[in-house]
Amino acid sequence: MDTQTTSPATNDTVVKTRGLRKSFGEGHVVLDGIDLEVKTSENLVLLGRSGSGKSVIIKCIAGLIEPDEGEIFLFGEPVSGISNDEMNKYRIRLGFLFQNSALYDSMTVRENLKFPLKRHHPVLPSDEIRKRIEESLESVGLPETIDLMPSELSGGMCKRIALARTIIMKPDIILYDEPTTGLDTITAREISELIVSIQQSTKCASIIITHDIACAKLTSDRLLILQDGKIGAEGSFDELSESKEPWVKAFFN
Amino acid sequence: MFIQIRSGLSNAGDFIQFTGRFFKEVLRPPYEFKEFIRQCFSIGNRSLPLVAITGFIMGLVLTIQTRPTLAAFGAESWLPGMVSLSLIREISPVITALICAGKISSGIAAELGSMKVTEQIDAMEVSGADPFKYLVITRVLATTFMIPLLVVFADCIGIYGGYLGMNMQSGITLFRYVAKVFEALSFSDIIPATLKTFLFGFFIGMIGSHKGYTASSGTESVGKAATSAVVAASLIIFIIDMMAVQLTSLLT
Ligand SMILES: Nc1ncnc2c1ncn2[C@@H]1O[C@H](COP(=O)(O)OP(=O)(O)OP(=O)(O)O)[C@@H](O)[C@H]1O
Ligand SMILES: [Mg+2]
């Protein structure tokens, strides 16, 4: 009885942060108290000016940057201040798409995709690995690139391969750092649609950082706008785009 | 001036911390054995031709240059021994290490620097790998083992170069030449010279990794990391060499 009432509550929230603060150097405050929450299979879009600290937020969530203050919960459990080895248990369920794709230059596409699998599941049989690599390349529509090097791919293809490398772990939450930046509008739209279809087929949650309003419109269940290190506005796409506040409106023009 | 000294000191402090981290983590599993082997191959591959050519030329030139002096004293038969002694004790360790500082250390700094700038190091961390282990420890171990091997290789090629130089004027068989070389050498020449090459290798890897791994974001920092790695590694090589010479002359 008891377990039935508590388990949905912990399972429901995938990521939660409370009072996240971070400054760099002397007095350069980037985050000044961020509270956010993402629920299962929810797409949260983060908007904000360049340099407002969007990347810093999701790097804190992934344990790549240590916040100065505040708490982070992943899948209902506090992860602030835990060791790297412990953090890796949560990272199995967390995908990260980096702003510059961050494919490993010295490895082929196949090895790039194999890397996280091998690390997180060292005993996976090679048949299974091959199958998952092929599946995940198939789902981003680039099965023929398997033996190419990242330097032989275009920017848009790199983004897709990076996405394949992220979803190969079948994560419960994916953090997207500007998935469509630097792409033409058609390719950007394809990536946005890919994000939606991944979300629908795997039911994972996501946090999407973007400057691309079309992408935000397509993918978002809810939007947050960052302003001066705090969350300045929150709401659905329609609510915020109709906002009376001029600084909020400015994002949607 | 004051600012320069301060930043130099904080840099050195940083480096010492980085080296400390290396020793703390080097023995802790998991070991990245495959990547270590791959790095060894890549280091050998990249520097073997250059080391071979310079080693050969050093041996040849040294023989040709030394001959008139020795001939004036009628001591030409000392030539093989003298050339191989200077090669093994001093010239090939230092020249090989300097070449590797220019090629390997800067290469490591540029590679890790660009991985840092393009967030590949972050990506590794999210993928459950320890980037310090995977990138830094493997490379430092690889240079520590490979530089001594390259030096031995340069010694051999240099001695062969000396043999060719000798043969330009007087006929001597390779067998007799090598016999003369071994007559002149003792373990007290070879062991200190080999020991210092491990130190050269260690610092070549360590400095390159440190400069690359701590590069700040922005593409120009990659170039900066590479050049400052060459400068720092070359300087360290001379300093270690000087200390090694002092130490061996004290001990023997
Ligand atoms: N490792 C770091 N060291 C020092 N300062 C940093 C570091 N990472 C980020 N910053 C600073 O934090 C601020 C926010 O950076 P962040 O990368 O989060 O911006 P962003 O909102 O993602 O911008 P963009 O849309 O351009 O990617 C910037 O002013 C940046 O200089
Ligand atoms: Mg960013």
Side-chain angles (χ1 to χ4, degrees), chain A residues 147-189:
Chain A
D147 286 316
L148 296 181
M149 297 299 284
S151 56
E152 297 170 285
L153 305 172
S154 73
M157 287 159 107
C158 282
K159 277 265 155 69
R160 282 167 187 246
I161 301 293
L163 195 51
R165 186 177 68 181
T166 309
I167 59 175
I168 200 167
M169 292 303 301
K170 305 197 164 73
D172 294 320
I173 173 148
I174 305 182
L175 311 174
Y176 297 91
D177 198 347
E178 307 197 11
T180 61
T181 304
L183 305 176
D184 65 276
T185 43
I186 301 166
T187 318
R189 198 185 161 79

mmCIF file of all heavy atoms in Angstrom, chain A residues 147-189:
data_model
loop_
_atom_site.group_PDB
_atom_site.id
_atom_site.type_symbol
_atom_site.label_atom_id
_atom_site.label_comp_id
_atom_site.label_asym_id
_atom_site.label_seq_id
_atom_site.Cartn_x
_atom_site.Cartn_y
_atom_site.Cartn_z
ATOM 1 N N ASP A 147 30.999 3.914 -40.918
ATOM 2 C CA ASP A 147 32.460 3.790 -40.905
ATOM 3 C C ASP A 147 33.179 5.085 -41.259
ATOM 4 O O ASP A 147 34.378 5.077 -41.532
ATOM 5 C CB ASP A 147 32.890 2.664 -41.852
ATOM 6 C CG ASP A 147 32.572 1.308 -41.254
ATOM 7 O OD1 ASP A 147 32.846 1.138 -40.048
ATOM 8 O OD2 ASP A 147 32.022 0.444 -41.956
ATOM 9 N N LEU A 148 32.463 6.196 -41.246
ATOM 10 C CA LEU A 148 33.114 7.474 -41.567
ATOM 11 C C LEU A 148 33.700 8.108 -40.307
ATOM 12 O O LEU A 148 33.331 7.778 -39.188
ATOM 13 C CB LEU A 148 32.097 8.437 -42.196
ATOM 14 C CG LEU A 148 31.512 8.007 -43.543
ATOM 15 C CD1 LEU A 148 30.534 9.062 -44.050
ATOM 16 C CD2 LEU A 148 32.610 7.780 -44.554
ATOM 17 N N MET A 149 34.626 9.039 -40.540
ATOM 18 C CA MET A 149 35.171 9.812 -39.423
ATOM 19 C C MET A 149 34.336 11.094 -39.285
ATOM 20 O O MET A 149 33.785 11.585 -40.269
ATOM 21 C CB MET A 149 36.627 10.214 -39.706
ATOM 22 C CG MET A 149 37.589 9.074 -39.858
ATOM 23 S SD MET A 149 37.726 8.046 -38.390
ATOM 24 C CE MET A 149 38.737 9.063 -37.334
ATOM 25 N N PRO A 150 34.256 11.657 -38.071
ATOM 26 C CA PRO A 150 33.477 12.881 -37.899
ATOM 27 C C PRO A 150 33.906 14.013 -38.834
ATOM 28 O O PRO A 150 33.084 14.818 -39.263
ATOM 29 C CB PRO A 150 33.745 13.263 -36.450
ATOM 30 C CG PRO A 150 34.069 11.992 -35.779
ATOM 31 C CD PRO A 150 34.758 11.139 -36.786
ATOM 32 N N SER A 151 35.187 14.054 -39.187
ATOM 33 C CA SER A 151 35.650 15.136 -40.068
ATOM 34 C C SER A 151 35.060 15.017 -41.469
ATOM 35 O O SER A 151 35.095 15.969 -42.238
ATOM 36 C CB SER A 151 37.173 15.133 -40.138
ATOM 37 O OG SER A 151 37.629 13.874 -40.554
ATOM 38 N N GLU A 152 34.519 13.838 -41.801
ATOM 39 C CA GLU A 152 33.936 13.659 -43.131
ATOM 40 C C GLU A 152 32.443 13.992 -43.162
ATOM 41 O O GLU A 152 31.800 13.809 -44.192
ATOM 42 C CB GLU A 152 34.130 12.204 -43.591
ATOM 43 C CG GLU A 152 35.585 11.823 -43.746
ATOM 44 C CD GLU A 152 35.766 10.331 -43.961
ATOM 45 O OE1 GLU A 152 35.634 9.563 -43.009
ATOM 46 O OE2 GLU A 152 36.039 9.948 -45.100
ATOM 47 N N LEU A 153 31.902 14.437 -42.029
ATOM 48 C CA LEU A 153 30.464 14.683 -41.963
ATOM 49 C C LEU A 153 30.173 16.181 -41.942
ATOM 50 O O LEU A 153 30.997 16.977 -41.497
ATOM 51 C CB LEU A 153 29.894 14.067 -40.683
ATOM 52 C CG LEU A 153 30.159 12.585 -40.462
ATOM 53 C CD1 LEU A 153 29.702 12.183 -39.079
ATOM 54 C CD2 LEU A 153 29.443 11.764 -41.515
ATOM 55 N N SER A 154 28.991 16.541 -42.408
ATOM 56 C CA SER A 154 28.581 17.946 -42.323
ATOM 57 C C SER A 154 28.098 18.241 -40.900
ATOM 58 O O SER A 154 27.874 17.332 -40.109
ATOM 59 C CB SER A 154 27.462 18.210 -43.313
ATOM 60 O OG SER A 154 26.270 17.624 -42.837
ATOM 61 N N GLY A 155 27.944 19.532 -40.606
ATOM 62 C CA GLY A 155 27.507 19.932 -39.273
ATOM 63 C C GLY A 155 26.190 19.291 -38.865
ATOM 64 O O GLY A 155 26.041 18.822 -37.741
ATOM 65 N N GLY A 156 25.239 19.258 -39.797
ATOM 66 C CA GLY A 156 23.941 18.673 -39.498
ATOM 67 C C GLY A 156 24.043 17.170 -39.240
ATOM 68 O O GLY A 156 23.387 16.635 -38.348
ATOM 69 N N MET A 157 24.906 16.510 -40.042
ATOM 70 C CA MET A 157 25.091 15.075 -39.826
ATOM 71 C C MET A 157 25.740 14.827 -38.466
ATOM 72 O O MET A 157 25.372 13.892 -37.758
ATOM 73 C CB MET A 157 25.968 14.484 -40.933
ATOM 74 C CG MET A 157 25.264 14.359 -42.271
ATOM 75 S SD MET A 157 26.487 14.273 -43.582
ATOM 76 C CE MET A 157 26.365 12.561 -44.039
ATOM 77 N N CYS A 158 26.720 15.678 -38.104
ATOM 78 C CA CYS A 158 27.364 15.526 -36.797
ATOM 79 C C CYS A 158 26.331 15.595 -35.683
ATOM 80 O O CYS A 158 26.361 14.812 -34.736
ATOM 81 C CB CYS A 158 28.409 16.617 -36.578
ATOM 82 S SG CYS A 158 29.932 16.323 -37.450
ATOM 83 N N LYS A 159 25.403 16.571 -35.815
ATOM 84 C CA LYS A 159 24.369 16.715 -34.797
ATOM 85 C C LYS A 159 23.554 15.442 -34.672
ATOM 86 O O LYS A 159 23.235 14.986 -33.583
ATOM 87 C CB LYS A 159 23.439 17.875 -35.162
ATOM 88 C CG LYS A 159 23.966 19.231 -34.747
ATOM 89 C CD LYS A 159 23.422 19.647 -33.399
ATOM 90 C CE LYS A 159 24.314 20.637 -32.689
ATOM 91 N NZ LYS A 159 24.363 21.957 -33.290
ATOM 92 N N ARG A 160 23.217 14.852 -35.829
ATOM 93 C CA ARG A 160 22.412 13.634 -35.800
ATOM 94 C C ARG A 160 23.174 12.460 -35.200
ATOM 95 O O ARG A 160 22.619 11.667 -34.443
ATOM 96 C CB ARG A 160 22.004 13.231 -37.214
ATOM 97 C CG ARG A 160 20.885 14.043 -37.748
ATOM 98 C CD ARG A 160 20.812 13.774 -39.217
ATOM 99 N NE ARG A 160 19.855 14.643 -39.817
ATOM 100 C CZ ARG A 160 18.718 14.194 -40.355
ATOM 101 N NH1 ARG A 160 18.471 12.919 -40.384
ATOM 102 N NH2 ARG A 160 17.879 15.040 -40.883
ATOM 103 N N ILE A 161 24.465 12.359 -35.555
ATOM 104 C CA ILE A 161 25.259 11.257 -34.997
ATOM 105 C C ILE A 161 25.383 11.444 -33.486
ATOM 106 O O ILE A 161 25.273 10.486 -32.715
ATOM 107 C CB ILE A 161 26.667 11.209 -35.631
ATOM 108 C CG1 ILE A 161 26.570 11.024 -37.144
ATOM 109 C CG2 ILE A 161 27.500 10.106 -35.002
ATOM 110 C CD1 ILE A 161 26.033 9.714 -37.571
ATOM 111 N N ALA A 162 25.585 12.708 -33.085
ATOM 112 C CA ALA A 162 25.670 12.977 -31.649
ATOM 113 C C ALA A 162 24.362 12.593 -30.972
ATOM 114 O O ALA A 162 24.350 12.056 -29.862
ATOM 115 C CB ALA A 162 25.987 14.447 -31.406
ATOM 116 N N LEU A 163 23.258 12.835 -31.663
ATOM 117 C CA LEU A 163 21.954 12.460 -31.122
ATOM 118 C C LEU A 163 21.853 10.942 -31.026
ATOM 119 O O LEU A 163 21.363 10.399 -30.028
ATOM 120 C CB LEU A 163 20.854 13.028 -32.029
ATOM 121 C CG LEU A 163 19.442 13.059 -31.483
ATOM 122 C CD1 LEU A 163 19.409 13.717 -30.126
ATOM 123 C CD2 LEU A 163 18.527 13.814 -32.447
ATOM 124 N N ALA A 164 22.361 10.253 -32.055
ATOM 125 C CA ALA A 164 22.353 8.791 -32.020
ATOM 126 C C ALA A 164 23.175 8.285 -30.844
ATOM 127 O O ALA A 164 22.792 7.345 -30.158
ATOM 128 C CB ALA A 164 22.914 8.230 -33.327
ATOM 129 N N ARG A 165 24.313 8.949 -30.598
ATOM 130 C CA ARG A 165 25.174 8.523 -29.488
ATOM 131 C C ARG A 165 24.468 8.759 -28.151
ATOM 132 O O ARG A 165 24.698 8.039 -27.183
ATOM 133 C CB ARG A 165 26.484 9.324 -29.541
ATOM 134 C CG ARG A 165 27.505 8.873 -28.540
ATOM 135 C CD ARG A 165 28.800 9.637 -28.683
ATOM 136 N NE ARG A 165 28.670 11.034 -28.308
ATOM 137 C CZ ARG A 165 29.655 11.914 -28.366
ATOM 138 N NH1 ARG A 165 30.851 11.545 -28.820
ATOM 139 N NH2 ARG A 165 29.472 13.152 -28.012
ATOM 140 N N THR A 166 23.608 9.795 -28.121
ATOM 141 C CA THR A 166 22.891 10.077 -26.885
ATOM 142 C C THR A 166 21.777 9.068 -26.643
ATOM 143 O O THR A 166 21.626 8.564 -25.536
ATOM 144 C CB THR A 166 22.288 11.490 -26.953
ATOM 145 O OG1 THR A 166 23.319 12.393 -27.322
ATOM 146 C CG2 THR A 166 21.692 11.893 -25.647
ATOM 147 N N ILE A 167 21.012 8.734 -27.709
ATOM 148 C CA ILE A 167 19.845 7.872 -27.473
ATOM 149 C C ILE A 167 20.213 6.402 -27.414
ATOM 150 O O ILE A 167 19.400 5.583 -27.018
ATOM 151 C CB ILE A 167 18.748 8.085 -28.542
ATOM 152 C CG1 ILE A 167 19.291 7.789 -29.934
ATOM 153 C CG2 ILE A 167 18.180 9.471 -28.454
ATOM 154 C CD1 ILE A 167 18.235 7.860 -31.008
ATOM 155 N N ILE A 168 21.452 6.060 -27.761
ATOM 156 C CA ILE A 168 21.839 4.658 -27.739
ATOM 157 C C ILE A 168 21.785 4.101 -26.321
ATOM 158 O O ILE A 168 21.576 2.911 -26.114
ATOM 159 C CB ILE A 168 23.241 4.471 -28.359
ATOM 160 C CG1 ILE A 168 23.435 3.023 -28.775
ATOM 161 C CG2 ILE A 168 24.334 4.893 -27.404
ATOM 162 C CD1 ILE A 168 24.631 2.817 -29.663
ATOM 163 N N MET A 169 21.906 4.986 -25.332
ATOM 164 C CA MET A 169 21.831 4.551 -23.937
ATOM 165 C C MET A 169 20.391 4.402 -23.465
ATOM 166 O O MET A 169 20.160 4.030 -22.323
ATOM 167 C CB MET A 169 22.551 5.555 -23.043
ATOM 168 C CG MET A 169 24.047 5.621 -23.215
ATOM 169 S SD MET A 169 24.827 4.048 -22.956
ATOM 170 C CE MET A 169 24.322 3.706 -21.281
ATOM 171 N N LYS A 170 19.424 4.734 -24.326
ATOM 172 C CA LYS A 170 18.015 4.740 -23.945
ATOM 173 C C LYS A 170 17.797 5.508 -22.635
ATOM 174 O O LYS A 170 17.323 4.967 -21.635
ATOM 175 C CB LYS A 170 17.491 3.307 -23.800
ATOM 176 C CG LYS A 170 17.703 2.462 -25.038
ATOM 177 C CD LYS A 170 16.813 1.242 -24.987
ATOM 178 C CE LYS A 170 16.651 0.546 -26.303
ATOM 179 N NZ LYS A 170 17.725 -0.209 -26.827
ATOM 180 N N PRO A 171 18.184 6.781 -22.644
ATOM 181 C CA PRO A 171 18.111 7.549 -21.390
ATOM 182 C C PRO A 171 16.685 7.927 -21.016
ATOM 183 O O PRO A 171 15.789 7.907 -21.862
ATOM 184 C CB PRO A 171 18.922 8.811 -21.717
ATOM 185 C CG PRO A 171 18.801 8.969 -23.181
ATOM 186 C CD PRO A 171 18.690 7.597 -23.756
ATOM 187 N N ASP A 172 16.500 8.251 -19.750
ATOM 188 C CA ASP A 172 15.193 8.705 -19.278
ATOM 189 C C ASP A 172 15.072 10.215 -19.368
ATOM 190 O O ASP A 172 13.982 10.756 -19.284
ATOM 191 C CB ASP A 172 14.970 8.259 -17.837
ATOM 192 C CG ASP A 172 14.877 6.759 -17.750
ATOM 193 O OD1 ASP A 172 14.259 6.170 -18.653
ATOM 194 O OD2 ASP A 172 15.452 6.175 -16.817
ATOM 195 N N ILE A 173 16.208 10.878 -19.472
ATOM 196 C CA ILE A 173 16.166 12.317 -19.728
ATOM 197 C C ILE A 173 17.306 12.695 -20.658
ATOM 198 O O ILE A 173 18.413 12.168 -20.545
ATOM 199 C CB ILE A 173 16.249 13.151 -18.421
ATOM 200 C CG1 ILE A 173 16.375 14.632 -18.776
ATOM 201 C CG2 ILE A 173 17.437 12.738 -17.555
ATOM 202 C CD1 ILE A 173 15.762 15.568 -17.847
ATOM 203 N N ILE A 174 16.997 13.564 -21.614
ATOM 204 C CA ILE A 174 18.033 14.044 -22.518
ATOM 205 C C ILE A 174 18.161 15.553 -22.349
ATOM 206 O O ILE A 174 17.150 16.265 -22.315
ATOM 207 C CB ILE A 174 17.691 13.717 -23.988
ATOM 208 C CG1 ILE A 174 17.449 12.218 -24.144
ATOM 209 C CG2 ILE A 174 18.824 14.155 -24.906
ATOM 210 C CD1 ILE A 174 17.158 11.789 -25.562
ATOM 211 N N LEU A 175 19.399 16.014 -22.213
ATOM 212 C CA LEU A 175 19.656 17.449 -22.135
ATOM 213 C C LEU A 175 20.195 17.896 -23.494
ATOM 214 O O LEU A 175 21.234 17.408 -23.936
ATOM 215 C CB LEU A 175 20.685 17.729 -21.038
ATOM 216 C CG LEU A 175 20.406 17.068 -19.684
ATOM 217 C CD1 LEU A 175 21.567 17.289 -18.729
ATOM 218 C CD2 LEU A 175 19.127 17.634 -19.074
ATOM 219 N N TYR A 176 19.464 18.754 -24.164
ATOM 220 C CA TYR A 176 19.893 19.214 -25.481
ATOM 221 C C TYR A 176 20.467 20.620 -25.364
ATOM 222 O O TYR A 176 19.759 21.536 -24.938
ATOM 223 C CB TYR A 176 18.717 19.293 -26.448
ATOM 224 C CG TYR A 176 18.022 17.994 -26.755
ATOM 225 C CD1 TYR A 176 16.938 17.572 -26.004
ATOM 226 C CD2 TYR A 176 18.418 17.217 -27.844
ATOM 227 C CE1 TYR A 176 16.268 16.391 -26.313
ATOM 228 C CE2 TYR A 176 17.758 16.038 -28.157
ATOM 229 C CZ TYR A 176 16.690 15.625 -27.389
ATOM 230 O OH TYR A 176 16.037 14.475 -27.700
ATOM 231 N N ASP A 177 21.719 20.807 -25.743
ATOM 232 C CA ASP A 177 22.283 22.160 -25.733
ATOM 233 C C ASP A 177 22.296 22.702 -27.162
ATOM 234 O O ASP A 177 23.138 22.337 -27.963
ATOM 235 C CB ASP A 177 23.694 22.137 -25.144
ATOM 236 C CG ASP A 177 24.160 23.521 -24.710
ATOM 237 O OD1 ASP A 177 23.491 24.499 -25.093
ATOM 238 O OD2 ASP A 177 25.175 23.616 -24.006
ATOM 239 N N GLU A 178 21.357 23.550 -27.454
ATOM 240 C CA GLU A 178 21.222 24.170 -28.776
ATOM 241 C C GLU A 178 21.313 23.152 -29.918
ATOM 242 O O GLU A 178 22.244 23.187 -30.717
ATOM 243 C CB GLU A 178 22.274 25.270 -28.945
ATOM 244 C CG GLU A 178 22.205 26.242 -27.788
ATOM 245 C CD GLU A 178 22.916 27.558 -28.061
ATOM 246 O OE1 GLU A 178 23.285 27.810 -29.220
ATOM 247 O OE2 GLU A 178 23.057 28.331 -27.116
ATOM 248 N N PRO A 179 20.319 22.269 -30.005
ATOM 249 C CA PRO A 179 20.382 21.210 -31.025
ATOM 250 C C PRO A 179 20.299 21.726 -32.455
ATOM 251 O O PRO A 179 20.764 21.046 -33.368
ATOM 252 C CB PRO A 179 19.176 20.322 -30.697
ATOM 253 C CG PRO A 179 18.250 21.189 -29.932
ATOM 254 C CD PRO A 179 19.114 22.133 -29.167
ATOM 255 N N THR A 180 19.739 22.906 -32.664
ATOM 256 C CA THR A 180 19.543 23.354 -34.051
ATOM 257 C C THR A 180 20.432 24.526 -34.447
ATOM 258 O O THR A 180 20.344 25.003 -35.572
ATOM 259 C CB THR A 180 18.075 23.768 -34.281
ATOM 260 O OG1 THR A 180 17.768 24.844 -33.394
ATOM 261 C CG2 THR A 180 17.129 22.629 -34.036
ATOM 262 N N THR A 181 21.286 24.984 -33.539
ATOM 263 C CA THR A 181 22.108 26.152 -33.863
ATOM 264 C C THR A 181 23.107 25.832 -34.973
ATOM 265 O O THR A 181 23.707 24.768 -34.990
ATOM 266 C CB THR A 181 22.860 26.632 -32.614
ATOM 267 O OG1 THR A 181 21.905 26.882 -31.613
ATOM 268 C CG2 THR A 181 23.638 27.890 -32.902
ATOM 269 N N GLY A 182 23.253 26.765 -35.888
ATOM 270 C CA GLY A 182 24.229 26.604 -36.954
ATOM 271 C C GLY A 182 23.739 25.759 -38.107
ATOM 272 O O GLY A 182 24.517 25.384 -38.974
ATOM 273 N N LEU A 183 22.443 25.438 -38.133
ATOM 274 C CA LEU A 183 21.904 24.638 -39.232
ATOM 275 C C LEU A 183 20.911 25.479 -40.032
ATOM 276 O O LEU A 183 20.331 26.424 -39.514
ATOM 277 C CB LEU A 183 21.184 23.404 -38.680
ATOM 278 C CG LEU A 183 22.007 22.510 -37.759
ATOM 279 C CD1 LEU A 183 21.145 21.395 -37.210
ATOM 280 C CD2 LEU A 183 23.189 21.930 -38.509
ATOM 281 N N ASP A 184 20.721 25.124 -41.292
ATOM 282 C CA ASP A 184 19.722 25.836 -42.085
ATOM 283 C C ASP A 184 18.330 25.497 -41.566
ATOM 284 O O ASP A 184 18.151 24.532 -40.820
ATOM 285 C CB ASP A 184 19.856 25.443 -43.561
ATOM 286 C CG ASP A 184 19.518 23.984 -43.764
ATOM 287 O OD1 ASP A 184 20.409 23.131 -43.573
ATOM 288 O OD2 ASP A 184 18.353 23.691 -44.077
ATOM 289 N N THR A 185 17.335 26.295 -41.959
ATOM 290 C CA THR A 185 16.011 26.133 -41.351
ATOM 291 C C THR A 185 15.393 24.767 -41.620
ATOM 292 O O THR A 185 14.686 24.233 -40.777
ATOM 293 C CB THR A 185 15.041 27.218 -41.852
ATOM 294 O OG1 THR A 185 15.226 27.353 -43.251
ATOM 295 C CG2 THR A 185 15.279 28.539 -41.168
ATOM 296 N N ILE A 186 15.685 24.204 -42.806
ATOM 297 C CA ILE A 186 15.087 22.905 -43.122
ATOM 298 C C ILE A 186 15.703 21.809 -42.257
ATOM 299 O O ILE A 186 14.990 21.011 -41.636
ATOM 300 C CB ILE A 186 15.276 22.571 -44.620
ATOM 301 C CG1 ILE A 186 14.608 23.667 -45.460
ATOM 302 C CG2 ILE A 186 14.696 21.212 -44.949
ATOM 303 C CD1 ILE A 186 14.995 23.639 -46.906
ATOM 304 N N THR A 187 17.034 21.808 -42.176
ATOM 305 C CA THR A 187 17.704 20.809 -41.335
ATOM 306 C C THR A 187 17.329 21.006 -39.873
ATOM 307 O O THR A 187 17.111 20.034 -39.143
ATOM 308 C CB THR A 187 19.233 20.912 -41.486
ATOM 309 O OG1 THR A 187 19.529 21.094 -42.862
ATOM 310 C CG2 THR A 187 19.919 19.678 -40.983
ATOM 311 N N ALA A 188 17.241 22.272 -39.458
ATOM 312 C CA ALA A 188 16.870 22.565 -38.079
ATOM 313 C C ALA A 188 15.501 21.968 -37.776
ATOM 314 O O ALA A 188 15.285 21.378 -36.718
ATOM 315 C CB ALA A 188 16.861 24.070 -37.845
ATOM 316 N N ARG A 189 14.585 22.096 -38.727
ATOM 317 C CA ARG A 189 13.253 21.559 -38.531
ATOM 318 C C ARG A 189 13.279 20.037 -38.429
ATOM 319 O O ARG A 189 12.593 19.446 -37.588
ATOM 320 C CB ARG A 189 12.360 21.988 -39.702
ATOM 321 C CG ARG A 189 10.916 21.858 -39.366
ATOM 322 C CD ARG A 189 10.011 22.150 -40.534
ATOM 323 N NE ARG A 189 8.727 21.568 -40.238
ATOM 324 C CZ ARG A 189 7.840 22.127 -39.440
ATOM 325 N NH1 ARG A 189 8.089 23.298 -38.885
ATOM 326 N NH2 ARG A 189 6.689 21.529 -39.189
#
